[in-house]
Amino acid sequence: MEPVFESPRRLREVMGEIFEKVAPVRSLAWTGERLTSETGGQVEIEHLHRYFFARSLCRGLDVLDIASGEGYGAALLAQVARQVVGVEISAEAVAHAQAAYHRPNLRYQQGDARRIPLPDASVDVVVSFETIEHFDEHEIFMKEVGRVLRPDGYLIISSPERDNYSPAGAAPNPHHVRELTRNEFDDILRRSFKHVTLYAQRALLGAALIPETGTAEATPFLTFERRSEVLFEGSSGLPRAPYLVAVASHVARPACQGSLYVETSGVEGIFSSALAARQQMAALSGRVAEGEEHARQIQSALDQAGAEIAQLQSQLQLARSQAAGYERELGACFQLLQAEKEAHSLGIRKVQDEGARRVRQLAEAISRTDAEIAQLARVLDEEREAHERTRAALAESDARVQAIWGSASWRITAPMRFVLRRVPGLHRALTLPRRAARRLLRPQPPEAGRAHPSAAGAAANPAAPAGDWGRDSGGRPVAFRLEYLPGTRDVADALPRQPGKEKMICFTHVVPFPRTAGNEYRIHNMLKYLADSGRDILLVLCPLAGEAIDQESARLLASVYPGMIICGRDGLLRHNLEDGEVVLGQLAGRIVRDAEALLRGASQSTPLPAKLADLQRSFCPDVLVELLLHLDGAIRPSVVLAEYIFMNRALPLLGTDAVKIVDTLDAFSSKSELVERFGVSDGLSLTDEEEASLLSQADIAIAIQEREADIFRKIGARCDIVTVGVDFAVRDTVPAVTEPSLLLVGSGNAMNVQGLRDFLQLCWPLVRDALPEAQLRIVGSVGAQVGYAPPGVQVLGRVDDLGAEYDRARVIINPIVAGTGLKIKTVEALSHLRPVVCWPAGADGLGGVALEQCHVVGDWSAFARQVVQILQDDGLASAPLNAQAELRAYFDAKVVYAPLLEALERQS
């Protein structure tokens, strides 16, 4: 029987229009920015559906497909249109489309949607799918579309609906610059077109029930969606649609009832596969049960065999033990026979002479041992007598101190002591009896050259390292050497000399002068204020490994800090102390001890995890611990200050009469949450327990901002926690700047580098599009780390006069997106009376008038808009100058450091 063929007209009546999507021989590589022919699944369905919908509206018309991408959509439109032009910004995509899709009424050319390369009123339809979210200049785009459309033409456009496409918490699309909500999309279209019809689009799997044409009145389209196994949702229209499609025109058009894309190519296969999978799973479950029973039987047999093997192994071990015993007996017999043979060969006398000689040697050794035991007994008796004398002296001193404190004269003189505490120079004299008592009662640090009790413990402990001496990188013992290094010039910001005043030791790995980075500003400014307040500051510097201080820099430091010691890891002590021979002379030639052994002997020291102990050792090496122990006994400071929490390794060994402070500068337990989640790590993050343990070794912990003080309290730090920021001298006035100039100042740390790279890639092009004459100057080492400079950007590196750079800038940017601590470069910019544009992290820790001068943004598009607005608005640019008095009060040193002075008063 021959087949019956339907006529073409009958096929169209039954099947509808059949058309082909041409597949190119070679697909354009998938980058995530535009659809290519090698892409499938939901993304392909969404894109094809939009083009099929547009195809039905373009018959016999002149069409522009803007942002045509790979070209497949323009090729579909050309099947029904009179002429189609595909315009695409990517030259690679245009070349691919020209090679892949050929029709006489189709052409492709390179161009920008914001500057369409077509004459006015040249097309009937503009098709723009997934284009508008890739740039920010929406009004310009709408004007260009209106320019190329004929008066009765219309626009078919789509855009992702931001609330459904990018809900809160979802990862953003890195190729989208600005996504729109439904209302924003509708508003933009209605500002340019009189008539706008919106359609919602959403890919789905299910069934469609749509009224036939002419058989149903116009009623709302109903949708039903399964939300769980037992719950279903009925809606009017299409809920939660991630995409919007619009038809916009100046003249009224017949309404379109929408469109449905049916994807059946794999649906039956999916359901069939699922049914087959369930049947196969049921069969496999039975086989698994059988396998488990078989496995249990095998396991039982294995257990029985294992027991037999264990018994055989026990018998084998017994046999081996017996054989070894026989071998030992045979060996002993052989040695005995050999000895008898040698005795006979040498003669009985020689054997007797040798025995007598050995007896004499043993007698001499016993005699020497008896003498050594007697000597040790005498030494032990002497030590016991000395111990008893020390205990008696301590008891007598304690009784005297208690008698003084309990006397009537002590109570009567209480008002006098209150007055003396307020008189400069007398408070220390008043506290000397109490400190003397505390000094007598506290355990003294071990002296160099004499065995420390912990040394004996280490020797008795096989796990302890051999020896208590510090060693250099080559394993050789480190001995101290002294070098006098006086200052050579006057420096305006130098600390004053305060001989005879209350002594304070500050030890750090950071070189605080000249000030280029934020932590350097913080350390120097605080020490300067404390010195101006009447304290004799001794700065002890111990740079990290590989960061040696050259001689010129050391002389500059000696000119700035009247009391300074640079502690080299090789034992070299460079200092500018006029009484250096008195203070440091005893250290010359002294061997550095193993600080870990000393810490093990300190009863107040809690062992740290190995990783944290190694981290502390890298910041505070044995040579620095030895120096601080010596200085603690030599100058008896009233305060010791460790800069950064990793420097407080020596605190458990220092005396109890000094107030111990750690200046944190960062909350390292929050780094994993605030910094490392952005892919940046410096290896210094701590757990809550680790940071709390280190903070509790101090009497006072300084947080640089209140949020970090709250963190320290929440993790359970057992110390007095105060918040102390950074003081800055706010300028009286600054010159007005009319040029569109930006300034970025930053060091080369990882977060600064990442922030600058993102700014140059995602934000700077938007600023330059709005203001082509805008210029950005980059100061500090951050520019060299980025490694490139786009048009309009100058990388200056370090400069001698930073104030001159602030003078020529109209706005300051701080593009760091995350971090801990206080962003001191933001504070510095405000002290120069310039507005700052930043992410929330750039203003973290600021409040009041300081925060008001920071323009905090949440995305790069807003960042660019805020920069451009300040460059164009004189009122915004001069706002910090108008708030000069309030900023000066906010950053005043007396206000900033008052919490620290109050904490010191509490401790005294």
Side-chain angles (χ1 to χ4, degrees):
M1 182 176 181
E2 294 185 358
V4 177
F5 293 94
E6 296 279 2
S7 67
R9 180 177 180 181
R10 175 57 181 165
L11 285 175
R12 285 194 300 271
E13 293 174 352
V14 175
M15 298 180 62
E17 181 187 5
I18 302 297
F19 54 92
E20 178 185 9
K21 175 185 174 294
V22 177
V25 176
R26 180 183 61 83
S27 295
L28 194 64
W30 166 255
T31 65
E33 186 172 7
R34 56 179 60 87
L35 182 75
T36 68
S37 296
E38 67 179 20
T39 309
Q42 178 175 322
V43 175
E44 180 192 30
I45 291 173
E46 293 165 349
H47 283 69
L48 288 179
H49 189 189
R50 286 191 284 268
Y51 271 109
F52 293 166
F53 177 70
R55 182 180 180 275
S56 68
L57 302 177
C58 293
R59 294 183 182 275
L61 301 177
D62 294 329
V63 181
L64 163 63
D65 184 13
I66 192 70
S68 55
E70 190 196 46
Y72 69 93
L76 285 169
L77 299 177
Q79 294 175 355
V80 297
R82 182 168 54 225
Q83 293 289 334
V84 177
V85 178
V87 173
E88 166 62 38
I89 196 170
S90 168
E92 180 187 8
V94 170
H96 171 83
Q98 291 172 339
Y101 303 102
H102 303 280
R103 295 186 72 91
N105 64 335
L106 173 64
R107 62 186 176 91
Y108 298 92
Q109 67 182 87
Q110 187 178 2
D112 193 324
R114 294 158 293 191
R115 291 179 291 277
I116 300 175
L118 294 182
D120 296 352
S122 57
V123 296
D124 299 305
V125 182
V126 173
V127 176
S128 173
F129 290 149
E130 303 306 286
T131 308
I132 196 170
E133 68 273 15
H134 288 270
F135 48 77
D136 195 34
E137 302 88 337
H138 296 164
E139 297 297 335
I140 296 175
F141 173 56
M142 287 292 112
K143 289 180 180 178
E144 281 293 281
V145 169
R147 180 182 63 81
V148 300
L149 273 176
R150 291 168 181 153
D152 58 346
Y154 52 93
L155 166 68
I156 308 174
I157 184 171
S158 73
S159 172
E161 204 287 325
R162 187 176 68 207
D163 292 339
N164 291 312
Y165 184 87
S166 301
N173 188 321
H175 302 291
H176 290 182
V177 174
R178 183 185 174 194
E179 296 173 355
L180 302 172
T181 64
R182 183 193 185 283
N183 291 338
E184 290 171 341
F185 185 52
D186 185 66
D187 180 64
I188 287 174
L189 292 174
R190 293 190 184 277
R191 288 203 300 267
S192 300
F193 294 94
K194 296 180 180 179
H195 302 276
V196 176
T197 304
L198 281 183
Y199 301 87
Q201 183 191 20
R202 175 182 169 192
L204 48 86
L205 177 67
L209 191 63
I210 304 173
E212 290 287 334
T213 303
T215 62
E217 296 181 0
T219 58
F221 189 78
L222 299 179
T223 58
F224 302 91
E225 180 178 355
R226 178 189 290 273
R227 303 306 301 271
S228 70
E229 286 297 322
V230 297
L231 296 179
F232 297 83
E233 177 186 12
S235 304
S236 177
L238 186 61
R240 291 174 295 282
Y243 296 99
L244 298 172
V245 180
V247 177
S249 63
H250 289 293
V251 297
R253 296 186 48 80
C256 177
Q257 295 184 353
S259 171
L260 180 67
Y261 179 105
V262 181
E263 176 66 39
T264 60
S265 58
V267 172
E268 292 300 327
I270 292 172
F271 285 116
S272 298
S273 298
L275 178 60
R278 286 195 294 269
Q279 294 173 347
Q280 186 177 9
M281 182 176 294
L284 287 175
S285 297
R287 294 178 60 184
V288 167
E290 295 175 359
E292 289 176 347
E293 178 61 28
H294 186 56
R296 282 193 292 270
Q297 296 175 359
I298 294 175
Q299 185 61 47
S300 176
L302 288 175
D303 292 342
Q304 184 178 357
E308 295 176 356
I309 291 173
Q311 184 178 4
L312 291 175
Q313 287 178 338
S314 177
Q315 295 174 358
L316 179 60
Q317 185 65 29
L318 178 61
R320 286 176 175 172
S321 178
Q322 292 175 346
Y326 296 151
E327 289 179 356
R328 287 194 296 272
E329 291 179 7
L330 287 173
C333 291
F334 178 77
Q335 291 176 359
L336 180 60
L337 290 173
Q338 188 68 22
E340 290 179 355
K341 181 179 179 181
E342 291 177 356
H344 284 293
S345 63
L346 294 174
I348 299 301
R349 177 173 288 281
K350 288 185 178 181
V351 173
Q352 291 176 342
D353 291 343
E354 179 66 12
R357 185 178 69 81
R358 292 185 178 181
V359 168
R360 287 194 301 273
Q361 291 177 342
L362 288 173
E364 292 172 359
I366 292 171
S367 177
R368 288 195 300 272
T369 301
D370 290 339
E372 291 175 358
I373 291 173
Q375 177 65 22
L376 289 174
R378 288 192 296 272
V379 171
L380 180 59
D381 291 338
E382 293 173 359
E383 290 291 334
R384 286 174 176 168
E385 292 174 2
H387 180 66
E388 291 298 326
R389 289 195 298 272
T390 301
R391 289 182 59 186
L394 287 173
E396 182 181 357
S397 298
D398 184 69
R400 290 178 180 176
V401 171
Q402 294 298 329
I404 291 172
W405 287 350
S407 66
S409 60
W410 184 261
R411 294 193 298 273
I412 293 171
T413 57
M416 182 184 300
R417 293 197 305 277
F418 176 80
V419 174
L420 291 177
R421 280 199 299 269
R422 281 17 181 214
V423 179
L426 294 183
H427 177 74
R428 178 173 173 80
L430 180 63
T431 58
L432 281 176
R434 181 172 61 180
R435 289 187 178 169
R438 292 170 67 184
R439 198 174 297 126
L440 287 171
L441 295 174
R442 71 179 174 90
Q444 298 296 316
E447 298 179 4
R450 189 174 72 182
H452 187 272
S454 63
N461 180 5
D468 292 336
W469 311 114
R471 296 183 179 274
D472 62 13
S473 59
R476 299 176 295 275
V478 172
F480 283 112
R481 295 168 288 129
L482 306 182
E483 177 184 330
Y484 180 60
L485 188 73
T488 58
R489 51 179 161 157
D490 293 333
V491 180
D493 213 18
L495 273 63
R497 294 181 179 274
Q498 300 284 14
K501 297 295 182 66
E502 189 175 358
K503 294 188 179 297
M504 175 178 178
I505 297 176
C506 172
F507 55 101
T508 178
H509 69 286
V510 177
V511 178
F513 200 90
R515 296 164 297 177
T516 57
N519 54 357
E520 297 164 6
Y521 272 92
R522 191 303 196 285
I523 295 172
H524 177 81
N525 286 16
M526 184 164 66
L527 293 181
K528 179 72 163 59
Y529 180 78
L530 292 172
D532 290 340
S533 301
R535 285 175 172 77
D536 187 7
I537 306 294
L538 174 58
L539 176 65
V540 179
L541 282 172
C542 185
L544 296 177
E547 297 183 1
I549 303 175
D550 60 55
Q551 204 72 347
E552 180 180 356
S553 299
R555 291 190 182 278
L556 173 60
L557 290 167
S559 303
V560 174
Y561 302 100
M564 180 210 68
I565 302 173
I566 299 176
C567 178
R569 292 175 180 250
D570 60 353
L572 176 62
L573 301 180
R574 292 179 285 175
H575 69 92
N576 65 347
L577 305 181
E578 294 179 352
D579 56 349
E581 288 300 322
V582 176
V583 176
L584 301 175
Q586 295 181 2
L587 281 177
R590 181 185 295 182
I591 300 296
V592 175
R593 292 167 291 175
D594 179 6
E596 288 302 311
L598 301 179
L599 288 167
R600 286 194 297 272
S603 60
Q604 67 269 42
S605 176
T606 302
L608 299 174
K611 180 181 178 181
L612 182 54
D614 290 342
L615 190 59
Q616 275 205 307
R617 191 180 299 112
S618 67
F619 278 82
C620 186
D622 293 359
V623 65
L624 177 59
V625 175
E626 188 77 54
L627 172 61
L628 293 172
L629 282 173
H630 173 78
L631 292 173
D632 184 44
I635 68 174
R636 298 296 186 187
S638 61
V639 179
V640 289
L641 170 62
E643 290 293 341
Y644 282 97
I645 198 170
F646 302 110
M647 291 297 290
N648 67 351
R649 185 181 180 217
L651 291 185
L653 298 174
L654 301 182
T656 58
D657 56 342
V659 178
K660 301 170 185 176
I661 306 175
V662 57
D663 186 11
T664 61
L665 286 98
D666 276 305
F668 293 93
S669 59
S670 65
K671 275 186 173 287
S672 60
E673 176 186 355
L674 299 180
V675 178
E676 292 181 354
R677 69 187 183 93
F678 290 90
V680 178
S681 174
D682 55 10
L684 300 181
S685 63
L686 299 176
T687 65
D688 292 351
E689 294 76 11
E690 290 171 342
E691 187 156 43
S693 173
L694 295 182
L695 290 171
S696 299
Q697 293 176 342
D699 300 311
I700 301 173
I702 303 176
I704 201 167
Q705 55 156 292
E706 188 57 34
R707 182 179 58 80
E708 295 188 354
D710 290 338
I711 291 175
F712 297 152
R713 296 185 185 100
K714 289 177 181 178
I715 64 177
R718 298 185 304 276
C719 58
D720 191 356
I721 299 170
V722 296
T723 301
V724 178
V726 182
D727 71 295
F728 266 90
V730 178
R731 297 173 60 174
D732 294 327
T733 186
V734 288
V737 178
T738 57
E739 294 79 9
S741 57
L742 292 73
L743 175 66
L744 183 149
V745 182
S747 63
N749 68 57
M751 290 309 301
N752 284 345
V753 173
Q754 184 64 43
L756 177 55
R757 283 176 176 163
D758 290 345
F759 175 84
L760 294 179
Q761 180 181 0
L762 302 174
C763 187
W764 185 240
L766 301 178
V767 175
R768 292 275 288 184
D769 283 347
L771 291 174
E773 67 276 18
Q775 298 289 317
L776 168 64
R777 295 168 68 85
I778 301 174
V779 173
S781 55
V782 62
Q785 295 291 328
V786 172
Y788 71 96
V793 176
Q794 292 179 271
V795 178
L796 304 180
R798 294 182 180 270
V799 298
D800 294 331
D801 187 0
L802 188 57
E805 293 300 325
Y806 280 108
D807 283 348
R808 65 187 300 172
R810 186 174 172 93
V811 61
I812 314 301
I813 63 168
N814 187 351
I816 185 172
V817 298
T820 57
L822 179 67
K823 306 309 175 289
I824 296 179
K825 286 304 177 184
T826 299
V827 177
E828 180 184 67
L830 296 178
S831 73
H832 284 275
L833 302 177
R834 295 303 190 199
V836 179
V837 180
C838 60
W839 290 80
D844 200 7
L846 296 179
V849 65
L851 183 59
E852 292 173 1
Q853 307 309 314
C854 296
H855 300 265
V856 181
V857 298
D859 59 67
W860 287 117
S861 178
F863 203 117
R865 288 196 301 272
Q866 193 62 58
V867 167
V868 171
Q869 188 175 1
I870 296 174
L871 293 176
Q872 295 176 333
D873 189 327
D874 291 339
L876 292 177
S878 61
L881 178 60
N882 297 331
Q884 185 264 354
E886 293 87 347
L887 288 171
R888 176 167 291 175
Y890 186 89
F891 293 119
D892 182 74
K894 291 182 181 179
V895 176
V896 170
Y897 300 115
L900 175 58
L901 298 184
E902 293 169 0
L904 286 171
E905 182 67 21
R906 288 194 296 270
Q907 292 294 328
S908 65

